[in-house]
Amino acid sequence: MVISWVYSVAMMIQHIVAEKEHRLKEVMKMMGLNNAVHWVAWFITGFVQLSISVTALTVILKYGRVLLHSDPFIIWLFLTIYAVATIMFCFLVSVIYSKAKLASACGGIIYFLSYVPYMYVAIREEVAHDKITAFEKCIASLMSTTAFGLGSKYFALYEVAGVGIQWRTISQSPVEGDDFNLGLSMMMLIIDAGVYGVLTWYIEAVHPGMYGLPRPWYFPLQRSYWSGSGRVETWDWPWCGGGAARLSVMEEDQACAMDQRRSGME
């Protein structure tokens, strides 16, 4: 499933970055679009697309006799949480790049490489027969694809045992001495989604790209940011004799402020 979603991830990243590359996002900001609404719209778009795949896959796994004994709602819930984490991963990658095609190519590669920690854990457990602690698995699960791989493993183990994943077994491991379980895997996916979201919010603010107005790295500590009040920043223009041009910036209208900044430079 990780491989099958590489194309979807790459396309979502490309569309988000293309909007930024063509300055459509800045135009919408100048028209009054709130940044949070912009991201919510992209989240809904991505979630609707992936939810179709999630629902179809749940039906195939359950009624195709692949996960015959597992609760179908748990299967759907696990895949849905993973879809949410994947969408947030796309958001995180999209704020790093400014070129759509480059972002699409690199995003797909990064998404696939984030599965490598799971392969490392699986080899150590199944080939070298090493004991991997729950803490180490949680650290590896900071990559959403790794958390998904670990969770899928417990589905397979319980199916082999003829029990399947049920609500009573979701917090237990069928392997003796194993402290990790499907419940922890799902919790790590939720944490991953939150971490990706926070990083997206922060990186976009301090590194908005060519057409945004960057905030200082310490902006979360500023009262003006959380209160929503305006702020005044000073820009030193070398051709103004070293004088300082005062530029008034409203918190939710950075695109307009950047336009004023370019006008002053001209």
Side-chain angles (χ1 to χ4, degrees):
M1 184 171 174
V2 172
I3 297 177
S4 66
W5 275 10
V6 169
Y7 178 78
S8 299
V9 168
M11 288 300 98
M12 184 179 298
I13 294 173
Q14 180 177 346
H15 292 155
I16 296 174
V17 178
E19 184 181 69
K20 179 170 60 175
E21 182 180 4
H22 297 150
R23 301 178 62 181
L24 298 177
K25 181 177 179 180
E26 302 305 319
V27 171
M28 289 187 289
K29 279 187 175 181
M30 295 176 67
M31 295 173 64
L33 178 68
N34 186 281
N35 195 45
V37 175
H38 169 264
W39 285 114
V40 169
W42 272 115
F43 179 85
I44 294 174
T45 301
F47 185 78
V48 169
Q49 294 174 352
L50 294 183
S51 63
I52 297 174
S53 175
V54 165
T55 303
L57 187 59
T58 301
V59 173
I60 293 172
L61 291 175
K62 178 61 180 179
Y63 300 102
R65 307 181 68 83
V66 178
L67 299 178
L68 181 62
H69 305 287
S70 297
D71 189 316
F73 181 73
I74 297 179
I75 300 173
W76 179 86
L77 182 62
F78 176 66
L79 295 177
T80 300
I81 295 175
Y82 175 61
V84 172
T86 300
I87 294 171
M88 301 309 293
F89 172 84
C90 294
F91 289 174
L92 176 58
V93 175
S94 69
V95 298
I96 300 175
Y97 295 92
S98 299
K99 299 296 182 181
K101 292 184 178 180
L102 178 63
S104 175
C106 293
I109 295 174
I110 295 172
Y111 176 75
F112 180 76
L113 291 179
S114 65
Y115 191 66
V116 171
Y118 168 73
M119 293 187 287
Y120 172 75
V121 171
I123 291 174
R124 283 190 58 185
E125 283 190 326
E126 298 174 10
V127 178
H129 301 289
D130 292 338
K131 177 178 173 56
I132 309 297
T133 64
F135 176 76
E136 291 174 322
K137 289 183 179 180
C138 286
I139 295 299
S141 295
L142 290 175
M143 299 293 183
S144 59
T145 50
T146 296
F148 176 76
L150 291 172
S152 301
K153 177 182 176 181
Y154 290 103
F155 274 101
L157 291 174
Y158 270 111
E159 284 296 324
V160 171
V163 179
I165 288 290
Q166 308 295 333
W167 288 109
R168 67 179 184 275
T169 59
I170 195 172
S171 59
Q172 302 173 2
S173 173
V175 180
E176 184 178 357
D178 184 13
D179 299 328
F180 204 74
N181 51 64
L182 179 62
L184 283 176
S185 176
M186 296 171 68
M187 183 185 71
M188 288 306 302
L189 284 172
I190 296 174
I191 293 175
D192 290 343
V195 171
Y196 296 161
V198 171
L199 289 176
T200 299
W201 162 70
Y202 182 81
I203 294 175
E204 185 187 34
V206 299
H207 181 66
M210 296 176 59
Y211 306 110
L213 184 64
R215 298 181 185 274
W217 63 268
Y218 53 85
F219 80 92
L221 304 178
Q222 293 179 315
R223 180 184 299 178
S224 59
Y225 176 79
W226 300 106
S227 63
S229 59
R231 69 183 181 192
V232 177
E233 294 194 1
T234 301
W235 301 90
D236 294 327
W237 311 119
W239 50 82
C240 294
R246 305 292 289 182
L247 178 62
S248 179
V249 183
M250 296 304 294
E251 290 291 329
E252 296 182 356
D253 199 8
Q254 294 191 28
C256 183
M258 193 61 190
D259 190 54
Q260 295 177 14
R261 180 183 174 187
R262 286 197 301 271
S263 299
M265 293 176 64
E266 294 173 356

